[in-house]
Amino acid sequence: MQHWFGYLQLIFEGALLTAQLTVLGCALALFMAIIAGLARMSKVKAISIAATCYIEFFRGTSIFVQLFWAYFVLPLVGIPVSPFLAGVLALGLNVGAYGAEVVRGAVQSIDKGQSEAALALNLTPYQRMRHVILPQAFVIMLPTFGNNAIELLKGTAVVSLISLADMTFQSQVVRAQTGSTAIPFLTILILYFMMAMVISRGIRALERHLSDGLDVTK
Amino acid sequence: MVQPIIDIQSISKCFGDLTVLDNLSFQVAPGEKLALIGPSGSGKTTILRVLMTLETLTSGHVLIEDEQLWHMERGGKLVDADETHLHKMRNSIGMVFQHFNLFPHKTVLENVTLALRLVRGVAKKQADERALELLDLVGLADKRDQKPASLSGGQKQRVAIARALALEPKIMLFDEVTSALDPELVDEVLNVMRRLGEETDMTMLLVTHEMGFARDFADRVLFFDKGRIIESGPPEQIFTDPQEERTRTFLRKVLSAGVSRAESAAVAI
Ligand SMILES: Nc1ncnc2c1ncn2[C@@H]1O[C@H](COP(=O)(O)OP(=O)(O)O)[C@@H](O)[C@H]1O
Ligand SMILES: [Mg+2]
C-alpha cells in the first residue's frame, strides 16, 4: 500500500503540469481567438486574409502535426522551443483558431443599433468594440469557450508525445513500473473529470455574473 | 435667414436602384425646432442618419456651422472626409433612436457617463455628477444603478435622451423617439423634449408621427414624400392650411387614424 503514495504523487505532479498547460493554453487561445476573430472582419483585405489563413490552417491540420512542428521544426529554423512552450503554442494556436469563429459570430450577432448608438456618442472604432460590442459579445461566446477550454484540457494529453511529463505521461510511467493499469488510469480519469468540472462550473458562474441585464438565454 | 447651423445642399442618397433622398436642399437656423413628417419610407430617418454620419451620401454636400460634414479640403480640393474629420464634426451632433439602443451591460449612470469618460476624458467623479444632473433633468436619478432591462420603455428613452445630452451637442436628432412606446408612456418622453426645447437653445430635428406634439413644439414643419420636400412652413400653416394635395391626404390619414395615439404611431401610411 505504502508505495502507492509515491506513484500517486507522480500523477499529481503530472496533473499540475496538465493544469498549467490548460491555463496558459487557454490564455493564448483566448488572445488568438479575439485577435483573429476581429481581424477576420477587418475592412483591410490583407488583415482579414491573414486571419483567414491562420484560422483555416490550424483548423485544417491535426494538433499532433502542429505540436511536432512546434517542437521539432521551429528549433531547426533557429527558434529554440522548450517542450512546455511547444505544448502551449500548439494547444493555444489550435484552439484559438476555433475560438476565432466564435468571436466573429458573437460580434456579428450584436444588434447594429449598439454600435450606431456608440458612434453617435462619438466613440472611436476601438472604443466601440472595446466598451460596447465585446462586453456583450463575450457573454455569448462564453458557453462555447467553455467547451473549447475542455477540449483544450483533453488535448493536453498529446504533449506526452514530446515527452512532457503531464498527467497522461505520468500514468503511463506508473503503469510501466507497477504493472497496474486500473489504478493509474482510474486516477487520471477522475482527475480529468474534476478539472473539466472546474472549468464548466467556473464558466457558468462567470456567465451568470456577466449576463446581468443582458437578454441571453441562460 | 440668419447664418444656418445646418445647410443641406442638393443631397441625394441611393440604395442600389432606390433613390431615397432626391436632390434635397434645406437649411436649419441655430436653435430652430424642426419637425420632419411624411409617409413611412419617405426618407426622414435617412436624413437624420446622414447628419449623424451613420449613412454616407451618394452626392451633394452638408455644412454644419459652415464646415463640410462629409468632405474636407485637401490641396484646394474637396475630398471625402476621413475618420478624423468625421470625429471632429460629430462633436456637435447627438441622436436619440426609435429603439433606444441603450447599452444593456451598463447601468443607467454608466450609459450616461460613457461618452464623457471616453470621448471627453472627464474624471469619474465629475462625470458621475454631470450624469446625475442629466438624469435628474429627465426624472430618473433614482434609477442610476439599475440596468436598462429593468426600466419601462419610456424610462429607457429618457435615459437615452440624457445619454445623448451628455456631450452637449448643438444639434440633436430625434428619430420617432416615441413610436416604440406603449401609448401611456409617450407623454413622459414628450414632456422631457418640451422641457429641452424651452430650457436650451439646442437645434432640434425631430422625425415624428405625433402631429399634436409637432404642432405645438416645432418652429417649422417639413413634409416629405419620396425623398423630396413637398411642403414646408410654420406648423399652423401646414396643419390647418396645407397647400399641397399630398400633404392634405397624408394629414387626413394620420389625423383620422390618430384618434388613439397607439394607432397613429403604428399606422402604415
Ligand atoms: N440600408 C438600407 N438599404 C436599403 N434600403 C434602405 C436602407 N435604409 C433605408 N432604406 C430604404 O430607404 C427608404 C427610406 O427609408 P427611411 O429613411 O427609413 O424612411 P422613413 O424614415 O421616412 O420611414 C425606405 O424605402 C427604406 O426601405
Ligand atoms: Mg423612419
Side-chain angles (χ1 to χ4, degrees), chain A residues 36-201:
Chain A
L38 295 182
R40 176 115 197 226
M41 290 180 281
S42 172
K43 283 186 213 114
V44 185
K45 262 277 173 314
I47 295 180
S48 78
I49 289 175
T52 307
C53 288
Y54 158 69
I55 293 167
E56 295 305 330
F57 177 79
F58 277 89
R59 295 201 311 173
T61 57
S62 104
I63 180 121
F64 292 94
V65 182
Q66 291 159 17
L67 183 70
F68 289 148
W69 264 79
Y71 186 54
F72 296 112
V73 182
L74 286 185
L76 294 183
V77 296
I79 309 169
V81 183
S82 70
F84 184 75
L85 185 58
V88 170
L89 279 178
L91 289 164
L93 291 175
N94 182 277
V95 176
Y98 287 92
E101 292 297 84
V102 180
V103 170
R104 184 168 73 121
V107 164
Q108 286 175 343
S109 77
I110 302 298
D111 180 38
K112 240 179 91 231
Q114 289 291 304
S115 68
E116 292 188 345
L119 181 138
L121 292 171
N122 217 356
L123 269 58
T124 63
Y126 170 78
Q127 291 171 334
R128 300 202 287 268
M129 189 53 79
R130 164 72 184 76
H131 295 275
V132 175
I133 307 301
L134 275 185
Q136 298 179 59
F138 190 65
V139 180
I140 298 172
M141 299 170 203
L142 264 180
T144 318
F145 275 177
N147 292 340
N148 290 356
I150 290 171
E151 285 303 318
L152 190 146
L153 164 67
K154 294 192 245 171
T156 55
V158 304
V159 300
S160 54
L161 294 172
I162 53 170
S163 61
L164 255 183
D166 78 318
M167 194 152 77
T168 302
F169 183 89
Q170 298 291 45
S171 69
Q172 301 272 21
V173 170
V174 172
R175 189 179 82 128
Q177 293 188 2
T178 62
S180 160
T181 304
I183 294 184
F185 283 1
L186 183 64
T187 310
I188 65 164
L189 191 77
I190 293 169
L191 286 174
Y192 274 119
F193 181 71
M194 278 165 43
M195 287 184 190
M197 282 298 279
V198 169
I199 292 173
S200 63
R201 285 286 165 85

Side-chain angles (χ1 to χ4, degrees), chain A residues 113-114 116 122 127 131 212, chain B residues 49 87 101-103 105 147:
Chain A
Q114 289 291 304
E116 292 188 345
N122 217 356
Q127 291 171 334
H131 295 275
D212 175 32
Chain B
R49 289 173 59 81
H87 188 76
N101 300 348
L102 290 178
F103 306 132
H105 59 302
K147 293 277 173 74

Side-chain angles (χ1 to χ4, degrees), chain A residues 112, chain B residues 13-16 18-21 37-49 55 98 175-176 207 209 224 227:
Chain A
K112 240 179 91 231
Chain B
K13 173 69 186 177
C14 307
F15 292 109
L18 182 70
T19 302
V20 175
L21 301 180
I37 63 170
S40 80
S42 58
K44 309 178 298 291
T45 296
T46 305
I47 293 171
L48 299 193
R49 289 173 59 81
E55 210 76 77
Q98 182 174 1
D175 188 12
E176 293 201 38
V207 171
H209 284 292
F224 281 85

